[in-house]
Amino acid sequence: MRNILQEIKNAVRSRSIHVSYVDVGSCNGCDIEVLACLAPRYDIEQYGIYVHNNPREADVLLVIGSVTPQWVDKLRDIWDKIPEPKVAVAIGNCPISGCVYARRGTLTSPPVEKYIPIAASVPGCPPRPTEILSAILSVAPLIFKDYEERKP
Amino acid sequence: MRSIIYYVREFLRPEWIRKFFTAKTAPLETPSYFKGYPTLTGNKCTACFSCMMICPAPGGIAVLRKKDGWEPEVYPGHCIRCGLCVEACPEGVLSSGRILDVTAHDGTAFWSWYHLEVDDNICMRCGNCCVSCPVNRQIDPQLAGSGTSSSDEVIMRIEGGRVQILHEEKCTGCKTCETNCPNSAIRVARMVEGVQIPEAET
């Protein structure tokens, strides 16, 4: 009985991934690529991924941009607001290395891993919508499948 | 009534149900002409570092010494996939998308030289740049501590109390003059220009 319930939960969760994205100081190029995922060409919703922009409803947090000082504490707040199970995906080069902002005289402090745990990262400046899509689709089952079973 | 039956029959079609519950777009594939991360073609790298010098992203590419010669390595977290390294490489070591085909078809290339500039306002005419320059020393071994030289072939010399740049094209871009300048008055800049060689000349 418990297994059937878990199977149903797994099936439903794999078809309903709620995404919230946060831009912690990027050039907006990656935001446009995330928006392109919503457009009919890529259509993120046919895979059961819904973009909500409300951290309290989200399962997946897309972190975009190298971290500016104003975002250091707020990013942590947003991450704490997301209910378990949750996962953060870094989109683009900026959260990984800072990309073009990783030079002297800029007020950024990449990588974003210093502030919140990142499960997956999508390199690229900007990454392609297909890469973002496949990253979300491949990382979500790893986190959400049998979540209750794995919890001690 | 008939229309209701029609709709029920339509929605019970297995094909329709499958389409409704599964993703409608085919798995999206990246076309071959998209610029991906540069990959090695197998040509031998001569360690000219053109790719590293033209890379606009900090830490995007590094030419590393491997057991048998040199090899460029691209770092995905830093690379922005602009493809400039592929275009700049004179040996065609890297390839990405159809950049190599397009450059071969159009006969385009990057031409680079070193531009020397002395700021006369902060230059104190010590002549350190002229003396330290390894190319200068090779051309005129007699080059004295004051930086004056009787040879016209040197890159630069002190002439009439100020640095005169005579042969910019001989500069190899080692920046020895920059590091030896007490006032950072001399600057070495690598200039890059995109050129297209007409088909008649090739």
Side-chain angles (χ1 to χ4, degrees):
Chain A
M1 187 61 206
R2 182 157 174 75
N3 279 337
I4 295 165
L5 191 67
Q6 196 59 48
E7 286 301 312
I8 294 168
K9 277 185 184 174
N10 285 348
V12 170
R13 277 198 183 133
S14 71
R15 294 287 300 159
S16 140
I17 303 160
H18 287 231
V19 165
S20 159
Y21 64 82
V22 56
D23 181 348
V24 289
S26 84
C27 65
N28 279 46
C30 298
D31 299 62
I32 290 165
E33 299 303 312
V34 171
L35 265 176
C37 288
L38 297 169
R41 177 70 182 83
Y42 298 100
D43 199 8
I44 205 167
E45 293 198 351
Q46 68 183 334
Y47 299 96
I49 305 168
Y50 304 96
V51 175
H52 261 273
N53 272 348
N54 182 356
R56 291 194 196 279
E57 290 180 57
D59 303 312
V60 178
L61 180 71
L62 304 182
V63 188
I64 303 161
S66 51
V67 185
T68 52
Q70 289 94 330
W71 273 102
V72 168
D73 51 336
K74 293 177 186 77
L75 182 62
R76 188 75 223 180
D77 286 352
I78 288 172
W79 177 245
D80 290 339
K81 276 177 190 171
I82 301 175
E84 294 278 348
K86 59 188 174 183
V87 61
V89 178
I91 301 289
N93 277 355
C94 282
I96 303 167
S97 67
C99 199
V100 290
Y101 300 112
R103 39 181 108 221
R104 265 182 307 159
T106 56
L107 279 172
T108 58
S109 49
V112 84
E113 277 172 20
K114 288 194 287 185
Y115 309 106
I116 58 170
I118 297 287
S121 49
V122 190
C125 184
R128 297 183 186 121
T130 48
E131 291 172 342
I132 298 171
L133 255 173
S134 56
I136 298 170
L137 285 174
S138 56
V139 78
L142 295 176
I143 305 296
F144 304 133
K145 194 166 183 258
D146 298 331
Y147 170 70
E148 287 83 359
E149 304 281 312
R150 279 189 280 121
K151 215 176 174 190
Chain B
M1 190 63 203
R2 197 189 288 166
S3 64
I4 291 169
I5 292 167
Y6 173 81
Y7 275 116
V8 168
R9 213 170 54 191
E10 174 69 21
F11 293 149
L12 284 178
R13 261 172 57 223
E15 197 188 334
W16 191 92
I17 292 170
R18 207 183 59 240
K19 262 193 170 176
F20 185 79
F21 282 109
T22 56
K24 280 133 202 122
T25 337
L28 296 158
E29 279 176 24
T30 310
S32 61
Y33 51 84
F34 270 30
K35 284 190 281 185
Y37 293 110
T39 48
L40 297 170
T41 54
N43 289 6
K44 205 152 174 57
C45 174
T46 55
C48 68
F49 303 116
S50 300
C51 48
M52 278 176 79
M53 284 191 273
I54 207 159
C55 182
I61 189 166
V63 180
L64 305 177
R65 182 160 204 156
K66 294 285 161 71
K67 263 183 186 158
D68 45 342
W70 297 77
E71 201 173 84
E73 192 172 325
V74 177
Y75 298 103
H78 301 252
C79 174
I80 64 170
R81 294 190 281 205
C82 61
L84 279 175
C85 52
V86 180
E87 277 187 72
C89 183
E91 311 293 328
V93 175
L94 297 161
S95 106
S96 160
R98 55 183 175 189
I99 295 174
L100 284 180
D101 301 335
V102 170
T103 48
H105 177 261
D106 295 347
T108 53
F110 281 123
W111 179 54
S112 71
W113 71 98
Y114 294 97
H115 177 62
L116 294 167
E117 201 169 306
V118 181
D119 190 342
D120 268 331
N121 293 324
I122 49 176
C123 174
M124 53 188 251
R125 283 85 165 152
C126 64
N128 272 4
C129 49
C130 312
V131 178
S132 62
C133 178
V135 182
N136 263 8
R137 296 304 297 258
Q138 211 175 4
I139 294 166
D140 184 10
Q142 306 294 318
L143 198 66
S146 59
T148 51
S149 169
S150 54
S151 167
D152 285 339
E153 296 300 308
V154 292
I155 294 176
M156 59 207 156
R157 64 179 180 193
I158 301 282
E159 203 178 302
R162 57 186 294 271
V163 179
Q164 293 280 345
I165 290 151
L166 302 172
H167 292 283
E168 205 175 69
E169 72 280 357
K170 284 182 186 169
C171 178
T172 54
C174 67
K175 296 202 175 188
T176 312
C177 50
E178 247 192 52
T179 48
N180 281 306
C181 182
N183 281 4
S184 323
I186 189 161
R187 287 281 173 197
V188 183
R190 186 171 184 264
M191 315 294 274
V192 179
E193 193 174 11
V195 289
Q196 184 167 21
I197 304 145
E199 264 179 52
E201 283 180 32
T202 51

